[in-house]
Amino acid sequence: MQGRFANIIVDISHEKVDRPFQYRIPEALLGLPEPGMKVRIPFGSGNKLRTGYIIEITDEPEFDVSRLKEIDSVIEEGVQVESRLIRLAFWMKEHYGSTMINALKTVLPVRQKLKQQEKKEICLRVGKEEARAEMLQCERKHQGAKARVLRELIAEERLPQTLVARKLNISPATFRSLQEAGLIDINSVPYYRNPVKLDAQREAGHHLSERQQFVVDSVLKDYDDGIRQTYLLRGITGSGKTEVYMELIAQMIQRGRQAVMLIPEIALTYQTVLRFYKRFGDRVSVMNSTLSPGEKYDQCERARKGEIDVIIGPRSALFTPFPDIGIIIIDEEHENSYKSETMPKYHARETAEELAVLHGASVFLGSATPSLESFYRAKQGKYRLFTLNERLTGGVLPTVYVEDLRQELKNGNRSIFSKRLQELLEDRLGRGEQSMLFLNRRGYAGFVSCRMCGHVMKCPHCDVSLSEHRNGTLVCHYCGFTQPAVKLCPECGSKYILGFRAGTEQIEEQLHKLYPDKKVLRMDADTTKTKDSYEKILSAFSAGEADILVGTQMIVKGHDFPNVTLMGILAADMSLSVNDYRAGERTFQLLTQAAGRAGRGTRPGEVVIQTYQPEHYSILHAAAQDYEGFYEEEILYRQLLSYPPVSHILAVQVTSAAQEGGEVLAGQLKRLCEGAPEGREEKTIIIGPAPAFIGRINDIFRYVLYVKNPDYEVLIRLKNRMEHFLKEEDRKDESVQFDFDPMSSF
Ligand code: ADP
Ligand code: ZN
Ligand code: ZN
């Protein structure tokens, strides 16, 4: 890298990245220093030599050049944890567009003073036999809470009180009463801010099936032969993917290396953590958003000191400062939450691959419904693909019915529930089996469709659906196309052409009206606002405290309910008609996952998919549980319209307090791109600018410009040009964000 000056942080830490110091690079070292390198520099008035890290190389001096000090020397001892993280931050800045400071703040942990804390643990005071007798006694007396605590303690000798309280919904009074009855002890133990201080029995892994063993052996053989690459394991839920992950991790630990296990935040439940804990004991820790900054920092310290080998967490767990990572595993790799929504808008999959290069590690992806990105790469031979097709716990795949809501309307049924769904619901209620009803939250996006023929109002230029604004006008958020409100369906002339509006709350109300004596639980953004409400609802439903669970996508992820034999998907089209090129993929994934929720136990399950578009390929392939069929059709569409993964998109979002300023700047950026050599390339497509999906939030206007090209590097160069242009003027009123291959439209 060329450049005559280096920005350096002394004592690298999250808190210090705002204060880099600039140094001159001496002649003899020109071209040598790189971001991430450790250097010796004269510092302070005494010019005492100290160590620092280079975060940026530049040709633009910040001060009078004659006043800049020179770097003394480069320190070349082993690769440092810090150096790697800085190099990763630099890559993220380049690859996703952000400032170096923001990138560094993303990868460096926040330092917090350690405070000794105490935590309460509960354990049995009596023998297991006696405890069991007491438990049965409690059950007879309908003291459900007490019985649940005892059952848990019979299975696990010692457990953190807060965890049990949260998971089983137990009040402090219940614990006290058990303690007073001499059944349990509550002890205060010093707490090292290890978020998984479980004391479960260690368990060895299952004896792997032949298929599972083949996957593990193949990856390890590559590893031991020095081959590093990305693997993709496609396996239906329950096919034993997690067991494969754990074996791979165990093998890496044997080789003296560490493992990062990414899972979507929402799947980071007590059950999951317990499973890893049983296998790896204290050598595993978790990272998630409910940890305090102090707890997070402690986990980083433990990783740095070699006290743990495995970290489980959402995308940010990638930045755990392990000295020597052997494998990075990403479960449910298709999940949108792997993409950051703040700058730098990095994707965990690509960032994991870059991190793996820096560590010499392997990357292992798993999913029942891989992202188009990953499957495309597997098809191209860039990823090695493995498949697991069978459920190890038995249980047959459910029967799926696709119900045509247009037909229902013609038959005079205006309720949210089709005739078949109502019949099946009543059947389950009668038999005391549980049902789940799933409604897509994204339905509020305001798409307009005809209830008679299913026709969806689409943009004539973009093949995405139009959005209804409050005044009724229909707007395309990709290109800005606008048309007046429609009164009659342009396809069939019916007057039932409306924006779709029905929320989980309305459905809950309907159910109360229909079945007043049945218990319904609801899980959506409103009912899960408080910290533990998510697990509480799940465990209440799991314990059989309700007949029906209504909810948004939250209910289709993770968690097994053996007693659920019916899954109703209320309006499958809602996610389809969102004005978003990933809508078909998201719908397929959601429907497939949702369908997989029914019939997990011994009884066969049934699934009802209600839709206005029963002939849509996403719905048909999901009903048939046919991933490859879906992939083939979806990739054609992506090809045709130059969407990822076939092409790449750079979304440039301009926000401004004054409408005009934003519009003008967005226009300038467009012309800048059009004028650049990359912009004139035949394969470059520039769309917009148009008002963003939500054109104004809190009186801040938002415009968006899309640039497409199959070559990611071309988009990076255009981004750099725009960044350069933006730097030349001091802009206070407008700001610009970049998003590569966005997960949805703006
Ligand atoms: P996935 O991660 O694909 O959903 P899991 O690894 O959780 O699948 O496995 C599903 C169930 O099958 C779990 O209860 C697990 O303990 C069990 N299981 C996995 N592998 C084996 C095996 N080789 N032998 C027996 N049971 C297994
Ligand atoms: Zn119509
Ligand atoms: Zn359009």
Side-chain angles (χ1 to χ4, degrees):
M1 183 169 309
Q2 283 305 326
R4 295 179 297 137
F5 310 101
N7 297 335
I8 293 172
I9 328 180
V10 185
D11 298 329
I12 178 93
S13 80
H14 188 277
E15 293 69 31
K16 300 238 167 98
V17 300
D18 284 332
R19 297 207 51 219
F21 298 91
Q22 199 167 58
Y23 284 80
R24 232 171 334 128
I25 301 172
E27 284 297 325
L29 293 181
L30 272 182
L32 181 66
E34 274 180 23
M37 266 187 187
K38 205 171 168 184
V39 287
R40 222 171 269 118
I41 41 170
F43 193 76
S45 50
N47 280 340
K48 208 169 149 242
L49 284 187
R50 294 184 58 174
T51 38
Y53 287 91
I54 298 180
I55 59 165
E56 238 163 340
I57 308 280
T58 169
D59 256 326
E60 287 158 38
E62 273 160 26
F63 305 100
D64 179 0
V65 179
S66 63
R67 286 174 50 209
L68 289 178
K69 297 177 190 176
E70 260 188 6
I71 292 176
D72 177 79
S73 52
V74 171
I75 303 174
E76 298 186 52
E77 56 185 49
V79 192
Q80 299 283 319
V81 171
E82 285 74 15
S83 303
R84 281 210 201 96
L85 287 175
I86 294 168
R87 281 160 71 188
L88 187 66
F90 182 77
W91 176 86
M92 288 165 74
K93 160 196 131 68
E94 280 291 294
H95 209 75
Y96 299 108
S98 96
T99 61
M100 187 61 187
I101 287 174
N102 273 338
L104 279 170
K105 288 199 159 162
T106 306
V107 306
L108 295 175
V110 181
R111 183 163 301 180
Q112 291 269 321
K113 285 249 154 46
L114 232 153
K115 243 190 285 146
Q116 187 69 50
Q117 291 183 330
E118 297 227 307
K119 191 177 179 177
K120 293 236 161 54
E121 249 181 25
I122 57 170
C123 62
L124 286 178
R125 195 165 178 177
V126 295
K128 281 196 179 174
E129 278 313 305
E130 194 177 330
R132 205 164 282 126
E134 288 290 342
M135 182 186 84
L136 295 173
Q137 186 80 13
C138 289
E139 277 176 354
R140 241 172 278 131
K141 288 194 249 163
H142 298 289
Q143 297 172 332
K146 283 188 189 172
R148 291 205 295 280
V149 175
L150 290 173
R151 181 177 304 119
E152 208 66 17
L153 285 175
I154 292 168
E156 304 291 338
E157 252 159 56
R158 251 188 299 158
L159 287 165
Q161 182 176 352
T162 46
L163 198 72
V164 176
R166 215 162 66 190
K167 185 196 162 207
L168 303 177
N169 202 1
I170 307 294
S171 70
T174 306
F175 288 117
R176 238 178 292 125
S177 141
L178 282 167
Q179 189 183 24
E180 280 159 14
L183 294 171
I184 66 165
D185 277 325
I186 305 179
N187 303 315
S188 283
V189 282
Y191 177 37
Y192 177 61
R193 284 197 292 199
N194 170 357
V196 272
K197 201 74 192 156
L198 301 173
D199 210 3
Q201 290 288 316
R202 292 286 287 270
E203 277 174 17
H206 284 286
H207 186 77
L208 294 186
S209 72
E210 211 173 298
R211 277 307 301 175
Q212 286 172 316
Q213 194 64 51
F214 173 74
V215 178
V216 171
D217 289 347
S218 307
V219 175
L220 288 174
K221 173 153 194 325
D222 278 359
Y223 187 85
D224 293 336
D225 289 348
I227 298 168
R228 299 292 184 272
Q229 62 163 321
T230 302
Y231 306 86
L232 172 63
L233 173 58
R234 181 162 72 87
I236 55 172
T237 321
S239 61
K241 296 187 295 298
T242 308
E243 213 60 32
V244 169
Y245 305 153
M246 290 199 290
E247 185 58 28
L248 285 169
I249 293 171
Q251 294 287 338
M252 285 301 165
I253 294 174
Q254 275 194 5
R255 286 160 174 75
R257 304 197 70 178
Q258 300 90 42
V260 176
M261 175 79 228
L262 299 190
I263 62 180
E265 174 108 39
I266 201 161
L268 197 57
T269 56
Y270 173 84
Q271 270 87 357
T272 322
V273 175
L274 189 65
R275 203 166 156 193
F276 279 85
Y277 188 83
K278 283 183 170 174
R279 183 81 181 257
F280 302 108
D282 274 336
R283 304 299 297 177
V284 59
S285 190
V286 294
M287 196 74 101
N288 68 36
S289 64
T290 65
L291 299 190
S292 68
E295 284 175 317
K296 281 186 191 160
Y297 186 72
D298 283 7
Q299 304 328 303
C300 289
E301 282 303 287
R302 294 172 75 208
R304 199 189 297 273
K305 289 186 188 137
E307 289 178 16
I308 54 174
D309 302 310
V310 190
I311 192 90
I312 312 177
R315 59 171 191 259
S316 60
L318 278 178
F319 311 122
T320 310
F322 278 124
D324 209 2
I325 298 171
I327 193 162
I328 304 167
I329 299 173
I330 307 184
D331 188 30
E332 309 276 1
E333 65 86 28
H334 63 276
E335 279 287 324
N336 283 354
S337 62
Y338 284 125
K339 175 99 192 248
S340 168
E341 280 167 8
T342 53
M343 298 262 268
K345 297 189 175 180
Y346 68 96
H347 197 296
R349 192 194 311 118
E350 298 156 1
T351 308
E353 289 181 323
E354 184 62 23
L355 182 65
V357 171
L358 294 173
H359 278 263
S362 308
V363 177
F364 193 89
L365 313 172
S367 171
T369 51
S371 62
L372 264 262
E373 271 79 1
S374 295
F375 207 68
Y376 183 67
R377 280 173 207 152
K379 289 254 168 182
Q380 287 181 318
K382 289 188 181 148
Y383 292 174
R384 178 157 177 202
L385 180 69
F386 300 106
T387 317
L388 292 174
N389 282 326
E390 277 159 40
R391 258 186 202 170
L392 290 165
T393 42
V396 283
L397 287 176
T399 309
V400 182
Y401 305 98
V402 177
E403 294 302 302
D404 185 347
L405 289 174
R406 300 168 302 186
Q407 201 56 45
E408 295 290 318
L409 190 68
K410 278 187 196 141
N411 298 344
N413 177 9
R414 297 215 185 161
S415 115
I416 310 174
F417 310 114
S418 62
K419 188 155 164 289
R420 175 164 340 242
L421 183 56
Q422 264 191 56
E423 281 169 9
L424 292 177
L425 257 180
E426 278 158 30
D427 172 73
R428 296 313 192 274
L429 291 172
R431 281 198 274 160
E433 293 177 6
Q434 291 179 304
S435 307
M436 285 165 93
L437 297 178
F438 161 51
L439 182 74
N440 206 325
R441 182 166 48 89
R442 292 192 142 248
Y444 281 112
F447 79 97
V448 173
S449 72
C450 171
R451 300 289 192 272
M452 288 308 279
C453 75
H455 177 77
V456 175
M457 296 301 295
K458 284 192 168 174
C459 173
H461 310 295
C462 300
D463 200 29
V464 295
S465 55
L466 296 169
S467 293
E468 187 180 33
H469 281 204
R470 286 229 175 80
N471 60 9
T473 51
L474 302 178
V475 180
C476 170
H477 293 293
Y478 274 76
C479 73
F481 172 84
T482 304
Q483 74 168 62
V486 286
K487 299 272 187 307
L488 297 176
C489 171
E491 258 329 280
C492 75
S494 130
K495 61 181 193 303
Y496 291 104
I497 183 151
L498 309 160
F500 200 102
R501 286 193 189 81
T504 41
E505 227 177 313
Q506 281 99 307
I507 289 159
E508 191 187 14
E509 272 168 33
Q510 291 267 337
L511 289 168
H512 280 307
K513 268 186 215 142
L514 285 168
Y515 317 111
D517 57 331
K518 298 295 177 186
K519 184 114 201 304
V520 179
L521 278 171
R522 172 162 65 95
M523 184 151 81
D524 54 25
D526 287 338
T527 62
T528 52
K529 276 198 187 109
T530 58
K531 199 173 162 193
D532 306 321
S533 41
Y534 175 73
E535 291 234 15
K536 270 188 186 155
I537 297 174
L538 288 179
S539 59
F541 190 60
S542 183
E545 286 169 30
D547 304 287
I548 303 175
L549 175 63
V550 181
T552 53
Q553 28 271 81
M554 289 179 190
I555 68 168
V556 304
K557 314 252 151 114
H559 230 86
D560 263 348
F561 302 109
N563 200 32
V564 171
T565 55
L566 175 65
M567 178 78 189
I569 297 158
L570 294 173
D573 330 59
M574 281 196 185
S575 46
L576 264 185
S577 302
V578 172
N579 51 0
D580 179 348
Y581 71 94
R582 290 188 194 265
E585 179 178 7
R586 194 168 292 132
T587 301
F588 176 80
Q589 287 163 348
L590 271 174
L591 296 186
T592 311
Q593 274 178 356
R597 296 286 108 198
R600 299 301 280 278
T602 44
R603 278 154 297 186
E606 286 176 303
V607 178
V608 178
I609 300 180
Q610 302 192 151
T611 172
Y612 292 101
Q613 302 171 68
E615 66 290 331
H616 193 284
Y617 66 93
S618 290
I619 292 176
L620 289 175
H621 290 305
Q625 309 262 309
D626 176 12
Y627 178 84
E628 300 232 10
F630 166 74
Y631 172 85
E632 293 301 336
E633 283 199 49
E634 180 69 16
I635 203 77
L636 280 180
Y637 156 74
R638 303 282 176 99
Q639 229 146 22
L640 206 63
L641 290 157
S642 301
Y643 283 127
V646 183
S647 187
H648 292 287
I649 302 186
L650 166 59
V652 186
Q653 193 184 15
V654 180
T655 53
S656 68
Q659 182 165 12
E660 208 186 336
E663 208 172 348
V664 168
L665 179 57
Q668 282 174 329
L669 292 175
K670 177 180 182 160
R671 282 189 296 282
L672 177 78
C673 290
E674 282 173 341
E678 297 88 5
R680 290 198 300 268
E681 254 186 39
E682 196 191 334
K683 285 190 173 153
T684 303
I685 303 169
I686 302 174
I687 305 167
F693 178 55
I694 303 171
R696 182 165 61 164
I697 298 178
N698 287 335
D699 282 322
I700 299 291
F701 290 88
R702 311 198 306 162
Y703 285 88
V704 65
L705 174 72
Y706 291 98
V707 188
K708 297 187 200 178
N709 191 295
D711 184 354
Y712 200 103
E713 292 300 319
V714 166
L715 297 182
I716 290 183
R717 286 202 292 276
L718 282 171
K719 181 260 302 175
N720 289 343
R721 284 183 194 280
M722 286 187 263
E723 272 180 345
H724 193 79
F725 170 81
L726 292 166
K727 231 189 251 169
E728 285 184 346
E729 282 168 63
D730 211 13
R731 291 181 190 278
K732 289 201 183 61
D733 302 326
E734 297 98 24
S735 72
V736 174
Q737 295 210 340
F738 298 104
D739 192 350
F740 285 81
D741 293 348
M743 296 315 275
S744 60
S745 33
F746 289 99

